[in-house]
Every structure is written in structure tokens, then in C-alpha cells.
Amino acid sequence: MSDNFDVIVIGGGPAGYPAAIRAGQNKLSVACIDEWKNRDGSPAFGGTCLNAGCIPSKALLESSELLHRAQHEFASHGLKLAGLSLDLATMQKRKATIVRQSTLGILTLFKGAGVVPLQGHGRLLAGRKVEFTSHDGTKRSLQAKHVVLASGSEPMPLRGVAFDGERVVDSWGALEFSEVPKRLCVIGAGVIGLELGSVWRRLGAETVVLEALEQLLPMADGQVAKEAARHFRKLGLDIRLGAKVGGAEVRPDGVHVSYTDAKGVQSLVVDRLVVAIGRRPFTAGLLGEGTGVALDERGFIQVDEHCRTGAADVWAVGDCVRGPMLAHKGKEEGVAVADRIAGLYGEVNYRTIPSVIYTAPEIAWVGQTEEQVKASGRPYKTGSFPFAASARARAMEATAGFCKIVADAASDEILGIHVIGPMAGELIAEAVLAMEYSASSEDLQRTMHAHPTLSEAVHEAALAADKRAIDIPNR
Ligand code: FAD
Ligand code: AMP
């Protein structure tokens, strides 16, 4: 096998593997190096997202939501379930199968695109040389015309609180519990903390979520965050805001967590503690001497708007560079870079990155919140439509939440769309497309939506922005 490639991608997560596939599609010779190893020591492509993030969390969110609905909603459909019980081992096995199918699928995709998979550690050296150390310790010196760095991120630890993989865990550990903890504490009410807290609460854990900030979901539209807080409380998630965790200690009777809130120092004893206080870029062992690649003060690889590092023909994409730590953001960057390398057009529209929180109700948005638009001083209008007024949502017994549109008062340009409710993550795709094409709210108003579908809520919210909604009174 040749040691010379047009492109070497270091990192096989959702930023790196699409970059490699697109490079292959562009008829470039390409290798993708990835060092991920699962708990049992088996190597796997797919990075955090497929192995320990997006995919396993969504599998458990789906299963736990089904249990919750069976317990609390089936009766209203006239469905009587006797003897419903939880088999967590089967639930976890199903999750593992989904993860395995997804990660093995990458190898098939690599084969189809002519990507050479290399499992082990990659280290960039000066002059776009790459030292590859396979999992068995064998070293190879590779040379590339272009290198794409896609080394991802890792969980942020809480100072003074060591992960022990059992009682004090990160988000990956929290996806692997073999029994439902009686008492659970999650530190951090960010997206990951709320999703994991929801899973274990639905499965029966008494769940406390400690959040240092005074406000829940400060990055979401204010009305959406308020509605979300109401539903999380209804689920029984005990979310304590303004609660800054200072430390935790594992003792025989449980994990003692101490935090400070407005009343002073508080403490809490739980069976398991999940630390979900954010993630940081991972670049350990990635860069040799004299590569010309620089890190910023927070440890992100410095890149320009086209994902170029300071070194010629060395690029970086995904969680290891600035911007939201999201799989789809990394994927678009990876693909755009592979196209640029091939001399094709590559573009990432950072203004239309959708955010989704896979709780129940689901939360999704794109563009600016009403608060952001207001702060910018731009005259604006809003329109909202509650799912309670959607026939499809009523048929689904999923009437919580609403869709809200924020548009420029003069030009009518859509500035943001916010959904909390059933399938919000799917509905937001229409909003992303609309914003990608710089649509006005009138464009959405004049677009036909099938009846009865949840997407009518997006249509009606757009109509409501001009007080022309049909299915709700206009105020
Ligand atoms: P990673 O997925 O971290 O992949 C990097 C890969 O590079 C890893 O396999 C790593 O082992 C490898 N690597 C690093 N350095 C080297 C080296 N020197 N040599 C060889 N290999 C190396 N995002 C969403 O968009 N939607 C979600 O629903 C979602 N849910 C999440 C749930 C959880 C619990 C977590 C933790 C994250 C979630 N995320 C979600 C975030 C998402 O997982 C990340 O944004 C995404 O994985 C980033 O992709 P990446 O390719 O940049 O990095
Ligand atoms: P995210 O960055 O979206 O994953 O969310 C992480 C959350 O953890 C943020 O909302 C932080 O405010 C919160 N957080 C960080 N450190 C602490 C801490 N020591 N105690 C409680 N919450 C924290």
C-alpha cells in the first residue's frame, strides 16, 4: 500500500469520515485515521457521535419515551397494558446494536468511496507528513498533499471530581448504566445534561439537575425555554438553577455533591453522578513540532472561515474548531473542505445551523431568538401557532408546545424559527431550507403544507406573523 495520499484525514467522527468520503468521491486518494476504541477494546469509526453521543443517546431517548408514553398516555388511546415492565438489559442491547450497525456502516461507505481506513493514532508532522501508529504499535510514515484535522472533543471534567466510570461518570458512562439509579444527579442543564436526565427520569430515577446559571437554556428563545421548563418539571426533573457545584466525594452511602446557591452551601447524596458541564476540543498528541498549526486560548485549532489552519494545505473541521459542537456542523465543514481541496465550491452557512434538543417535547430552532433580534434594534414581528390547535398533534396526543417565527417587520425576511413540540427536530428542516434561500414569512405563507401534518404549525406560525392565520384567532 502506498504511503502517499492526496488527502489524509485524522479523526473518523462525523466531521472526519464525511470529509474522507467526499475526497474519495472527488477521485482523490485518501486515508482516514481514527483511534477510537470502545470499552471492550474494539476499534470503531464514527467518533463520539456514533459511539458515545448522538446515536446511543437517541436510542435510549426513544426507548425511555416509549415507556413513559405507555405508562402515561396509552390509557387515553383506550389501550390498557397490564404488567408493563422495564428490561434495561434488552434496551441497552438494542442501543448497542444500533451503534454497531452505524459504525460498521462507515467501513462499507469507505470501501464504496475508495477511502483507506487506518485504525490507530495519527500525528501531524511538519511538511504534511503524518506519523501513523496502529493499535498494535506498528508505525508508518505517511505523506499527504492535504491533511484534514478532525480530532473532535472530550468531556470537560469538574475540577476536584474524578470520573471513576461507575459512580461518577461522563455522558458516555451515563449511557452505559446497567441498572436504573434510584437517586441520580446531573451537573449541567445543557443539551446533553437535559437529554440524559430525561432518559433516566423516564426510566424511574429520582433526578436532580444542578445548573450554575440562573436561567434554563439561555441560548434558546425565551418563550421556548419557559415552556420547556414547565414540561421538564412535569416530567419530575428537579432542575435547580443558580446551583454551582463545587465538589463531590464518593462515600460508602453514595456520592456526596456539594453546591452553592443563593441560600449558601447545599449538599445532596445520590447513587450516581453525571458530569455534563460541557466539552472541550481534543488535540492531545495530534501535533508534532513545527507544523505551523496553532491553538487558540481555549485549545481550539485556529482556522479561518474556510477551515484553513495557519499551515499550508492543513485544514481543521468539527468540534476541534470554533463554532457549535454539533455533528451536522462538522459534517458540512468536512464535506466543504474536501470539495475545496478538489478545486470545487465548498460553503458552510454558519447562520443556518439548526439546534435540536431531543427531549419531550422536542426543541429545535434556527436563526436568531426574539431576544437577540430585539437586542439588535431591528424592527421585527412574530407569529406563533400552538400544537394544541393542530389536528395532527391532537391525533398524536402530542399537543404540548408551539412553533414561533421571527421576521423582519419591514422586509419580511425570516430571522429565526423556534419549535417546541412533537418532531421539532424534523420540522426545523423546512425552516433551515427557508432561511438558506433567504425566504420571507410570505414565502412560507404561500407554500402549501399537507393536511393534517405537524408542518402546518410552521405554515400557520408564518401566517400568524401577519395576523392571517386560519386555524387560530389572530390577536
Ligand atoms: P468526534 O466525534 O469527537 O470524533 C473525533 C474522532 O477522532 C474520534 O474517533 C477520536 O478518537 C479521533 N481522534 C482524535 N485524535 C486523533 C488522533 N490524533 N489520531 C487518530 N484519531 C484521533 N451532536 C449533534 O449534532 N446531535 C446530537 O444529537 C448530539 N448528541 C450528543 C450526545 C452526547 C451524549 C454527546 C457527548 C455529544 C452529542 N453531540 C450531538 C455532539 C457530537 O457528538 C459532536 O459534535 C460530534 O461527534 C463532533 O464530531 P467530530 O468528528 O468533530 O469529533
Ligand atoms: P453545555 O455547554 O451546553 O453542554 O452545558 C453545560 C452546562 O453546565 C452549562 O449550562 C453550564 O452553565 C453548566 N455548568 C458548568 N459548570 C457547572 C458547575 N460547576 N455547576 C453546575 N453547572 C455547571
Side-chain angles (χ1 to χ4, degrees):
M1 189 197 307
S2 167
D3 289 335
N4 289 289
F5 294 92
D6 292 325
V7 182
I8 294 178
V9 181
I10 305 181
Y17 87 76
I21 289 174
R22 177 53 58 88
Q25 288 169 346
N26 287 338
K27 307 278 178 255
L28 299 168
S29 63
V30 51
C32 183
I33 302 176
D34 188 89
E35 67 182 358
W36 186 278
K37 267 192 184 174
N38 282 311
R39 293 264 148 87
D40 61 3
S42 60
F45 278 94
T48 305
C49 177
L50 275 72
N51 291 289
C54 324
I55 303 309
S57 64
K58 266 77 256 181
L60 290 185
L61 278 157
E62 195 64 36
S63 299
S64 60
E65 177 62 3
L66 278 181
L67 176 67
H68 186 78
R69 296 188 68 191
Q71 287 167 334
H72 301 279
E73 282 176 24
F74 278 20
S76 63
H77 287 267
L79 299 173
K80 289 184 185 162
L81 264 180
L84 178 69
S85 64
L86 168 65
D87 174 358
L88 184 59
T90 300
M91 195 179 278
Q92 290 286 26
K93 217 167 122 198
R94 171 185 172 275
K95 177 205 74 181
T97 304
I98 293 163
V99 167
R100 208 169 29 256
Q101 283 167 344
S102 309
T103 59
L104 285 176
I106 294 179
L107 285 172
T108 312
L109 296 173
F110 276 177
K111 206 166 174 197
V115 178
V116 176
L118 295 174
Q119 289 180 301
H121 184 75
R123 184 171 150 91
L124 176 69
L125 306 174
R128 292 181 309 283
K129 285 195 186 337
V130 174
E131 179 189 77
F132 168 65
T133 311
S134 74
H135 285 310
D136 66 12
T138 317
K139 281 192 192 306
R140 263 173 76 185
S141 179
L142 310 175
Q143 177 70 51
K145 291 186 185 140
H146 291 262
V147 174
V148 182
L149 305 172
S151 55
S153 61
E154 61 178 353
M156 208 119 72
L158 185 63
R159 201 189 307 222
V161 181
F163 294 120
D164 65 7
E166 202 192 326
R167 302 239 255 166
V168 181
V169 298
D170 61 13
S171 53
W172 193 9
L175 291 164
E176 300 288 319
F177 291 157
S178 54
E179 59 189 55
V180 179
K182 187 169 171 337
R183 301 163 301 174
L184 176 72
C185 176
V186 179
I187 310 178
V191 177
I192 293 174
L194 288 170
E195 289 185 0
L196 293 172
S198 296
V199 165
W200 295 107
R201 173 66 206 135
R202 290 168 189 163
L203 297 181
E206 291 162 19
T207 306
V208 177
V209 183
L210 299 174
E211 168 55 54
L213 299 175
E214 298 288 345
Q215 198 191 341
L216 183 69
L217 298 176
M219 64 293 200
D221 184 90
Q223 281 179 320
V224 169
K226 219 166 127 195
E227 176 80 356
R230 208 165 64 77
H231 289 285
F232 295 150
R233 263 199 305 275
K234 205 167 140 201
L235 173 66
L237 274 181
D238 178 357
I239 301 177
R240 302 184 192 171
L241 298 175
K244 189 163 172 43
V245 177
E249 202 187 319
V250 179
R251 295 192 204 155
D253 64 334
V255 187
H256 290 240
V257 184
S258 63
Y259 63 95
T260 313
D261 65 11
K263 293 193 200 116
V265 178
Q266 313 277 350
S267 67
L268 163 90
V269 183
V270 292
D271 302 306
R272 306 270 182 146
L273 175 65
V274 179
V275 180
I277 60 168
R279 298 180 64 80
R280 62 185 181 194
F282 177 77
T283 54
L286 177 69
L287 303 170
E289 288 295 307
T291 60
V293 175
L295 304 184
D296 71 14
E297 67 287 351
R298 293 167 62 212
F300 289 95
I301 298 173
Q302 268 180 3
V303 286
D304 67 9
E305 71 273 29
H306 301 295
C307 296
R308 284 194 197 94
T309 69
D313 299 328
V314 178
W315 312 72
V317 295
D319 279 12
C320 63
V321 304
R322 83 287 174 266
M325 288 184 166
L326 291 170
H328 43 281
K329 174 263 193 187
K331 179 181 187 183
E332 293 306 312
E333 287 181 335
V335 166
V337 161
D339 280 342
R340 285 175 194 138
I341 288 172
L344 303 170
Y345 179 73
E347 181 66 44
V348 178
N349 184 350
Y350 290 95
R351 282 170 295 122
T352 55
I353 299 175
S355 299
V356 184
I357 310 177
Y358 297 83
T359 47
E362 212 160 273
I363 300 165
W365 69 90
V366 58
Q368 299 177 68
T369 63
E370 181 175 350
E371 291 75 18
Q372 286 167 335
V373 176
K374 193 184 239 170
S376 74
R378 191 169 182 172
Y380 69 93
K381 58 187 176 181
T382 64
S384 286
F385 186 82
F387 283 103
S390 154
R392 184 66 193 276
R394 283 199 301 270
M396 291 168 68
E397 195 80 21
T399 52
F402 55 85
C403 174
K404 171 176 171 179
I405 181 165
V406 186
D408 187 285
S411 70
D412 196 33
E413 180 188 351
I414 298 170
L415 303 175
I417 297 191
H418 307 269
V419 187
I420 174 165
M423 300 302 222
E426 305 298 327
L427 295 178
I428 210 65
E430 174 182 11
V432 175
L433 189 68
M435 289 189 64
E436 183 66 36
Y437 283 83
S438 305
S440 61
S441 84
E442 187 183 349
D443 289 325
L444 272 188
Q445 292 172 27
R446 293 186 183 278
T447 302
M448 197 184 296
H449 289 69
H451 176 75
T453 61
L454 295 171
S455 72
E456 286 172 294
V458 182
H459 188 210
E460 287 283 325
L463 287 162
D466 284 333
K467 304 202 182 317
R468 291 158 66 84
I470 301 296
D471 291 338
I472 46 164
N474 292 283
R475 270 183 250 118

